[in-house]
Amino acid sequence: MKITGVSVRTFTYTSHVGRDSEGHGHPAPPRETTQSLMTIETSDGVAGYAFGGIAAGVLERDVKPLLMGRDSFYRELIWQGLKERQRLNLATLNDKILTVVDCALWDLAGRALGQPVYKLLGAYRDKVPAYASTMCGDDLEGGLDTPEAYAAFAEWCMDRGYPAFKLHTWQPPIPGAPNPKRDVAACAAVREVVGPDVPMMLDPYHYYGREESLYLGRELEKLDFLWMEEPMDEHSMSSYVWLARQLDLPICGPETAEGKMYTRAEWIKHDAADIVRGGVGDLGGITPLVKVAHLAEAFGMKMEVHGGGAANLHVLCAMGIPGLFYERGLLHPFVDYDTPKPWLHQLEDPMDDEGYVHVSQEPGLGQQIDFDYIDRNLVTSW
Ligand code: LLH
Ligand code: MG
């Protein structure tokens, strides 16, 4: 099946989430913004799709030469080729682009063979328990503005069926942030209302120092948390070795650190984390995420997948022991997460009343793409 066409369409939609000056999402008045869809076509008439933008110049110069005319099943060869091309081009050919290409190729393979991606990978399960993953704290009245507000939202999430809860607490530029004591107060308030048996996690400010992180870890041990992630800049692996050595609380990471499977291997080797972390968007696609899952399994470690979406869900459903939960969110009292994105006919991560997210049985990634919506709202294509 030869690749005959590679294109990107960019379209508008109305978003109810805005980004603060540090890039964290919060509820916001409706605003028009854009999304992109990559399409890879083949000589057999089958196409694969993935959402995410690739600039026209990068598509022409770096991506197309590796794809056009090639057998679309050679995903590993294409991924390795893109990875090598990143040397000297990392500023434009980043891992998000590798993710889009790789996910579109997996979608294409599934559509061509009439199977969902998780079955191509080697299925292990059809559903995964979710945890409610909150947005970062804010200063919106009735939002996530106080420890009590987190507690009230956690109660709502438990009623909705979530079996576990992760707080993203306050980060600059929210007034008063960062503040480890306030983070602990929010964690304690949630523990109080959900009771002792609900698994809980914390993802605080990502640039605390060693002392603040140790303080947080010790307090979370008292509250019987399941893990803490990214309390410090992940580029300092030594800081994580220092922290993990002193805590019984599992540290989960690295999440956003660059370096794909190589960085995860180094963290495992140096005991910098107790639980391995990575998602399709952090690592450069399904292909490297599977490598990291196998790496974690081989070291007898769990791997918690970062972020939601169809591609992460398919990998989770093909992983054996390493992955406990699907990260569902980011959630907020003012945001209706259970309404599909405007460009999809259905949710890509539907959750039942018992807190299980079910993977699609449709071929490929199984996203029900509303192509009419995309055409109606098209801005540009290349
Ligand atoms: O800082 C944020 O906005 C969130 O932490 C975000 O990066 C989220 O994806 C995350 O870390 N989830 O675990
Ligand atoms: Mg995180």
Side-chain angles (χ1 to χ4, degrees), residues 31 44 50 69 85 98 105-106 119 121 131 166 169 172 183 201 207 250 273 276 279 312 316-317 349 358 368 371 381:
R31 69 191 169 99
D44 291 30
R85 231 181 156 92
L98 270 60
L105 287 171
W106 276 101
K119 289 193 174 167
L121 290 167
Y131 63 85
K166 186 170 95 186
T169 43
D183 294 343
M201 310 74 141
Y207 302 99
V276 184
N312 279 325
L316 265 170
C317 286
D349 58 355
H358 295 252
Q368 300 298 303
F371 292 102
S381 58

Side-chain angles (χ1 to χ4, degrees), residues 32 115 134 165 229 260 268 381:
E32 195 163 274
Q115 292 293 332
T134 73
F165 191 83
E229 68 193 48
K260 308 179 179 70
I268 292 171
S381 58

Side-chain angles (χ1 to χ4, degrees), residues 8 19 23 35-38 40 49-55 58-59 63 79 82-83 86 89-105 230 255-260 264 278-286 288 306-308 311-312:
V8 174
R19 303 259 153 211
Q35 170 64 293
S36 298
L37 176 71
M38 180 185 210
I40 300 178
Y49 304 91
F51 289 95
I54 303 180
V58 178
L59 191 73
V63 177
W79 189 82
L82 286 169
K83 179 175 79 74
Q86 285 186 304
N89 293 306
L90 196 55
T92 49
L93 186 60
N94 57 46
D95 286 345
K96 300 280 178 218
I97 294 174
L98 270 60
T99 303
V100 179
V101 175
D102 188 65
C103 288
L105 287 171
E230 213 179 346
E255 178 176 293
T256 53
E258 313 86 322
K260 308 179 179 70
R264 275 76 194 165
V280 289
D282 308 305
L283 290 163
I286 292 172
H306 171 218
N312 279 325

Side-chain angles (χ1 to χ4, degrees), residues 274-311:
D274 307 279
I275 300 173
V276 184
R277 189 138 177 90
V280 289
D282 308 305
L283 290 163
I286 292 172
T287 296
L289 185 57
V290 170
K291 293 179 193 208
V292 174
H294 293 172
L295 183 65
E297 183 180 1
F299 275 91
M301 295 174 79
K302 294 193 177 72
M303 184 184 87
E304 286 299 327
V305 171
H306 171 218

Side-chain angles (χ1 to χ4, degrees), residues 54 86-87 89 114 123 127 146 149 190 205 227 249 260 266 270 356:
I54 303 180
Q86 285 186 304
R87 187 170 180 275
N89 293 306
K127 61 179 184 177
T146 61
V190 175
Y205 178 51
W227 78 68
L249 174 80
K260 308 179 179 70
E266 294 301 326
H270 291 94
Y356 283 97

Side-chain angles (χ1 to χ4, degrees), residues 5-163:
V6 181
S7 58
V8 174
R9 276 176 275 184
T10 298
F11 56 94
T12 55
Y13 73 100
T14 303
S15 173
H16 298 266
V17 174
R19 303 259 153 211
D20 63 30
S21 58
E22 302 285 322
H24 306 295
H26 304 285
R31 69 191 169 99
E32 195 163 274
T33 184
T34 57
Q35 170 64 293
S36 298
L37 176 71
M38 180 185 210
T39 305
I40 300 178
E41 291 165 289
T42 62
S43 48
D44 291 30
V46 187
Y49 304 91
F51 289 95
I54 303 180
V58 178
L59 191 73
E60 283 302 322
R61 191 186 60 235
D62 298 318
V63 177
K64 273 191 177 175
L66 278 162
L67 291 174
M68 292 299 286
R70 186 153 265 154
D71 183 336
S72 66
F73 285 115
Y74 277 62
R75 289 181 299 275
E76 182 71 23
L77 183 73
I78 292 168
W79 189 82
Q80 293 288 348
L82 286 169
K83 179 175 79 74
E84 286 174 20
R85 231 181 156 92
Q86 285 186 304
R87 187 170 180 275
L88 306 178
N89 293 306
L90 196 55
T92 49
L93 186 60
N94 57 46
D95 286 345
K96 300 280 178 218
I97 294 174
L98 270 60
T99 303
V100 179
V101 175
D102 188 65
C103 288
L105 287 171
W106 276 101
D107 186 53
L108 174 49
R111 288 172 187 263
L113 299 171
Q115 292 293 332
V117 166
Y118 81 111
K119 289 193 174 167
L120 298 189
L121 290 167
Y124 181 82
R125 53 185 164 178
D126 307 317
K127 61 179 184 177
V128 191
Y131 63 85
S133 185
T134 73
M135 285 185 175
C136 294
D138 51 52
D139 54 358
L140 304 167
E141 204 182 326
L144 294 172
D145 56 338
T146 61
E148 296 71 35
Y150 275 93
F153 188 49
E155 277 189 298
W156 183 90
C157 290
M158 297 299 110
D159 287 347
R160 170 67 183 87
Y162 286 99

